[in-house]
């Protein structure tokens, strides 16, 4: 029987004028939108250019012409073709909201996105997990928006994977009330790679394409390192973190490295934690991956619970339309039980995001 497959990383494309049309006139100059300039797509507001993607000879790079990027009916067709039963979907334009410096404009655009997302997927909650975007320029706004979307039934919400300049870093106790509230509301914090970064283009010289995407692993490594070592996750044990599109096998390496120094440098270690860093990771951290088989081999360190497969539809680095063959090769040569396989392909994500697994997949439900 085909296992239940949940993609823990995919993207929707908001209408280009979503933010501009919905914001009050006073905040419109901050509205994020994309404009075509020559062979490039420029994401910007009136104040700054946020991201420039040169398409050159490949106008379909990044899946911008895929059936399902704008259109939900088309998306369901592509999911069928690719063998994906359910997804959590992240934004496109909304990935750049952390570039907005003005706290009111940031809050306004997060509200607009979250309302749009809620409406877009309503009626299809048997296939999609809704994920909000949270403002971070004012942590009171963060909590206000968390309460608002949790009341709508959201189980996931994004925080930046890199804290932008001027925002408390993830080892700062200023985050405690926010993390405590997430545990209370059952809202999983999603850290998608590249979010909060001033630029995802760190290098333009030889190797740049491989360097820039590989470097994005560091977003996840740094965020989890800061949250675990500072005691932020230890003090808020019900808070769950999902790191998306940073790969996954680094999590085992990070857990072992932090355990090592936690003991070896114990005279310098502040604060003391109630358990080892690797145990906090096992309890509270989940990671998504497309091709990273090493994370499956290292699962005794992180726990199988930490691993979620994802397609990253419709992006160029994603697995569409080859997800079935990618999944078929995922566990090849690895000693693993059938139960662990169904957990990695869908069960772990469904339980994390409190998504009801369809009854025709009893083997996934059972775990
Ligand atoms: Mn992605």
């Amino acid at each position: 029987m085909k296992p239940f497959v949940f993609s823990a990383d995919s993207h929707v494309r908001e209408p280009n004028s979503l933010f501009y049309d919905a914001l009050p006139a006073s905040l419109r100059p901050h509205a994020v939108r994309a404009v075509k300039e020559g062979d490039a797509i420029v994401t910007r507001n009136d104040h700054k250019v946020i991201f420039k993607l040169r398409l050159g000879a490949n106008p379909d790079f990044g899946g911008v012409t895929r059936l399902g990027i704008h259109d939900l009916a088309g998306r369901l067709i592509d999911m069928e073709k690719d063998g994906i039963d359910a997804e959590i979907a992240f934004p496109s334009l909304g990935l750049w909201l952390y570039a907005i410096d003005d706290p009111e404009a940031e809050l306004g655009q997060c509200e607009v996105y979250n309302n749009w997302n809620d409406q877009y997927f309503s009626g299809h909650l048997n296939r999609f997990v809704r994920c909000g975007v949270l403002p971070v320029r004012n942590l009171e706004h963060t909590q206000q928006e968390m309460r608002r979307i949790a009341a709508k039934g959201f189980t996931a919400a994004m925080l930046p994977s890199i804290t932008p300049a001027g925002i408390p870093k993830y080892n700062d106790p200023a985050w405690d009330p926010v993390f405590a509230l997430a545990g209370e509301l059952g809202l999983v914090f999603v850290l998608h790679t590249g979010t909060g970064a001033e630029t995802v283009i760190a290098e333009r010289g030889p190797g740049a394409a491989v360097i820039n995407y590989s470097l994005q692993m560091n977003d996840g490594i740094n965020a989890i390192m800061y949250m675990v070592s500072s005691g932020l996750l230890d003090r808020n044990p019900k808070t769950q973190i999902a790191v998306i599109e940073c790969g996954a096998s680094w999590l085992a390496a990070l857990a072992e490295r932090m355990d090592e120094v936690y003991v070896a440098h114990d005279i310098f270690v502040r604060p003391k934690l109630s358990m080892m860093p690797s145990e906090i990771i096992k309890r509270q951290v989940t990671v998504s991956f497309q091709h990273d088989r090493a994370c499956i081999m290292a699962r005794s360190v992180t726990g199988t619970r930490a691993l979620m497969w994802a397609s990253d539809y419709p992006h160029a680095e994603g697995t569409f339309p080859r997800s079935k063959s990618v999944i078929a090769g995922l566990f090849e040569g690895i000693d693993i039980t059938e139960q662990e396989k169904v957990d990695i392909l869908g069960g772990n994500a469904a339980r994390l995001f409190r998504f009801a697994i369809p009854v025709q997949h009893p083997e996934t439900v059972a775990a």
Side-chain angles (χ1 to χ4, degrees):
M1 186 191 198
K2 177 196 167 299
F4 168 71
V5 176
F6 185 104
S7 169
D9 181 15
S10 75
H11 295 265
V12 284
R13 174 92 200 182
E14 313 86 327
N16 195 34
S17 61
L18 176 71
F19 299 113
Y20 188 87
D21 291 347
L23 286 178
S26 61
L27 294 179
R28 277 189 180 161
H30 299 277
V32 174
R33 64 232 184 237
V35 288
K36 211 161 181 308
E37 287 181 12
D39 70 345
I41 294 178
V42 179
T43 304
R44 64 172 309 146
N45 60 19
D46 285 359
H47 304 293
K48 58 177 152 184
V49 167
I50 300 167
F51 181 58
K52 201 173 206 178
L53 177 66
R54 280 193 199 290
L55 298 172
N58 184 4
D60 188 34
F61 184 84
V64 288
T65 62
R66 293 253 196 255
L67 210 52
I69 183 70
H70 302 280
D71 171 49
L72 194 50
R75 187 176 198 93
L76 290 165
I77 293 169
D78 275 356
M79 285 169 74
E80 201 62 41
K81 185 172 165 189
D82 210 25
I84 309 293
D85 296 296
E87 287 182 338
I88 184 166
F90 308 120
S92 296
L93 286 175
L95 290 176
W96 303 106
L97 294 183
Y98 296 114
I100 300 161
D101 318 310
D102 180 274
E104 296 303 323
E106 186 201 34
L107 173 64
Q109 291 184 82
C110 288
E111 288 170 344
V112 167
Y113 176 79
N114 295 339
N115 291 343
W116 175 81
N117 179 293
D118 186 37
Q119 275 184 355
Y120 191 75
F121 289 119
S122 70
H124 297 276
L125 298 182
N126 59 337
R127 306 297 298 275
F128 299 98
V129 168
R130 291 163 294 170
C131 182
V133 178
L134 295 173
V136 294
R137 297 280 162 184
N138 172 339
L139 298 184
E140 295 294 328
H141 287 171
T142 318
Q143 294 169 73
Q144 174 190 323
E145 188 59 4
M146 285 166 69
R147 286 199 176 87
R148 199 180 72 89
I149 63 174
K152 292 177 185 286
F154 281 56
T155 55
M158 296 177 84
L159 288 179
S161 60
I162 296 173
T163 44
I167 304 306
K169 291 191 280 187
Y170 285 131
N171 62 344
D172 192 318
W175 283 104
D176 270 276
V178 175
F179 276 55
L181 183 61
E184 242 171 72
L185 297 173
L187 215 45
V188 177
F189 283 144
V190 169
L191 276 52
H192 187 282
T193 193
T195 47
E198 201 146 304
T199 174
V200 289
I201 302 170
E203 183 57 66
R204 291 183 186 277
V210 174
I211 291 167
N212 290 330
Y213 190 70
S214 305
L215 258 185
Q216 287 184 235
M217 280 203 304
N218 296 4
D219 304 359
I221 296 173
N222 292 340
I224 297 307
M225 191 193 300
Y226 274 58
M227 289 178 186
V228 171
S229 62
S230 66
L232 180 61
L233 294 187
D234 194 23
R235 292 188 298 274
N236 297 288
K238 289 199 289 185
T239 307
Q240 292 291 322
I241 311 296
V243 180
I244 304 300
E245 214 190 326
C246 292
S249 52
W250 53 264
L251 188 63
L254 177 66
E256 300 226 301
R257 175 89 175 178
M258 288 201 293
D259 277 5
E260 182 183 352
V261 71
Y262 187 78
V263 173
H265 291 187
D266 73 317
I267 59 165
F268 303 116
V269 170
R270 301 281 183 282
K272 298 296 183 203
L273 305 172
S274 69
M275 57 180 78
M276 293 297 283
S278 61
E279 294 174 302
I280 295 173
I281 284 175
K282 264 188 176 164
R283 184 177 65 187
Q284 290 170 265
V285 181
T286 312
V287 282
S288 84
F289 68 98
Q290 288 117 245
H291 293 283
D292 186 349
R293 282 164 33 92
C295 74
I296 305 169
M297 299 175 201
R299 70 194 184 282
S300 66
V301 178
T302 60
T304 304
R305 192 203 68 89
L307 309 179
M308 304 187 286
W309 182 80
S311 80
D312 198 27
Y313 177 88
H315 289 171
E317 62 276 9
T319 55
F320 180 85
R322 303 169 289 107
S323 294
K324 286 177 192 164
S325 66
V326 169
I327 286 172
L330 212 51
F331 303 106
E332 216 171 283
I334 301 176
D335 186 15
I336 184 165
T337 65
E338 289 306 310
Q339 187 60 60
E340 286 177 301
K341 290 183 192 175
V342 297
D343 285 346
I344 291 169
L345 292 177
N348 290 338
R351 282 183 286 277
L352 179 67
F353 298 119
R354 302 202 306 279
F355 176 85
I357 299 163
V359 287
Q360 66 266 33
H361 293 282
E363 72 290 353
T364 308
V365 179

